[in-house]
Amino acid sequence: MLYSKRLTPLYESLASYFLKPSRGSTVFAKTSPVHLISLRTMAKSKFEYVRNFEVDDTCLRNCWIVVRLDGRNFHKFAEQHSFTKPNDDRALNLMTRCAQAVMEELEDIVIAYGQSDEYSFVFQKKSNWFKRRASKFMTHVASQFASSYVFYWKDYFQDQTLLYPPGFDGRVILYPSNQNLRDYLSWRQADCHINNLFNTVFWNLVQKGGLTTSQAREIEGRHGTLSGDKNEILFSEFNINYNNEPLIHRKGTALVWKKIDEITTKTIKLPNEEKEKEIVVTRTRKKVTPLHCDLIGEEFWEEHSEILEDDS
């Protein structure tokens, strides 16, 4: 076949424009294939060479694809929008709602993990979504997340006006083995613990201890990075047992697909009966579910063994 049937309407419309007859002349009722081929050749202009500048960014096959988003300049954003210190549950829940929206839109994501102003999305190893182009993965995730942040803002910050649009930067990382992926998620959760412990001590020294931010920073600096010392400050100075702090603050949030049963009522009309009858219908469907749990140990991965594929 000399020309594509799918493209024929386009070329016919172009033909009707370029080959429009002068008054009094006659034309064929249907554009001929020769004219269509000529128009197709015209479409390949001398400027098309610029496509050669595009870089091939296909992700290596049989690797986990991770897209991590971070809030751009969120220290300033949190300050200007009066986020509660050290943790604002409104902001954390909004981030999770945005991540849920991303997972519901891009079903190849098997697990997501978030803390503070970041979220990581893990695409299944065998995903061939957009031919595994890294730029497509990153831009789709970032744009869906950022637009959702603005869209759902009022659901979590009813009394706080969104002063300006938030920004998120993203990166794509490939992990060849299941262990690599687990270590990545463990690293992000360990980072959540380290940052949250520091912030919990810091802001208690400021808010309850009456210190300036400089004084609080100096005290934490004197005690080094040992978690035991920070736990001791919390307990001895403020009677806070860090282990009793909310799991969402200490562990972050993991999003997984879970099968749930939805029970609804349906009105039907039985054969040979005039009256309608309500019946109970149970439907099983997958839903994105947030969990606040440990990802470093074995329990989570044994309970959700479907996430990891065979590494062979």
Side-chain angles (χ1 to χ4, degrees), residues 58-260:
T58 303
C59 294
L60 189 66
R61 293 196 175 277
N62 296 321
C63 288
W64 297 101
I65 301 174
V66 176
V67 178
R68 185 167 83 242
L69 298 184
D70 289 280
R72 180 182 176 276
N73 202 7
F74 251 54
H75 289 293
K76 176 184 176 182
F77 184 87
E79 190 71 31
Q80 294 192 349
H81 289 87
S82 304
F83 282 16
T84 303
K85 303 293 187 179
N87 292 290
D88 192 313
D89 288 336
R90 299 170 302 172
L92 293 174
N93 291 328
L94 173 56
M95 290 284 292
T96 294
R97 181 65 189 90
C98 298
Q100 287 176 303
V102 172
M103 286 186 69
E104 288 163 0
E105 184 70 22
L106 311 176
E107 294 184 358
D108 275 5
I109 299 172
V110 293
I111 184 174
Y113 174 77
Q115 50 119 346
S116 186
D117 64 340
E118 74 167 56
Y119 244 100
S120 296
F121 299 90
V122 181
F123 288 80
Q124 57 182 284
K125 269 186 171 182
K126 297 178 182 178
S127 175
N128 198 36
W129 187 66
F130 270 104
K131 298 182 179 179
R132 296 179 70 88
R133 291 181 60 186
S135 55
K136 294 290 187 180
F137 280 96
M138 185 172 63
T139 53
H140 272 266
V141 170
S143 61
Q144 184 73 38
F145 194 95
S147 61
S148 297
Y149 200 96
V150 175
F151 185 81
Y152 292 113
W153 173 267
K154 274 296 183 182
D155 293 346
Y156 298 89
F157 289 87
Q158 293 89 349
D159 301 324
Q160 172 65 60
T161 302
L162 184 61
L163 302 177
Y164 58 89
F168 295 88
D169 65 73
R171 71 201 70 187
V172 175
I173 318 111
L174 303 182
Y175 293 105
S177 72
N178 292 351
Q179 189 61 52
N180 291 153
L181 177 64
R182 284 189 54 178
D183 288 346
Y184 169 79
L185 294 170
S186 297
W187 171 50
R188 300 321 303 145
Q189 189 165 67
D191 185 73
C192 173
H193 162 71
I194 293 169
N195 290 336
N196 187 65
L197 180 57
F198 175 89
N199 288 329
T200 302
V201 174
F202 181 86
W203 287 108
N204 271 283
L205 288 171
V206 173
Q207 295 168 351
K208 296 181 180 179
L211 302 182
T212 65
T213 54
S214 298
Q215 290 170 330
R217 196 171 292 110
E218 182 182 348
I219 287 178
E220 280 213 299
R222 283 206 304 264
H223 285 273
T225 58
L226 295 178
S227 60
D229 293 338
K230 298 186 187 302
N231 277 288
E232 179 60 29
I233 293 174
L234 288 175
F235 190 75
S236 61
E237 297 292 333
F238 308 107
N239 197 31
I240 294 176
N241 185 338
Y242 181 75
N243 291 328
N244 294 334
E245 291 293 289
L247 284 172
I248 187 175
H249 301 163
R250 295 189 290 118
K251 301 292 186 181
T253 302
L255 293 177
V256 297
W257 291 99
K258 275 194 170 185
K259 288 183 179 180
I260 61 167

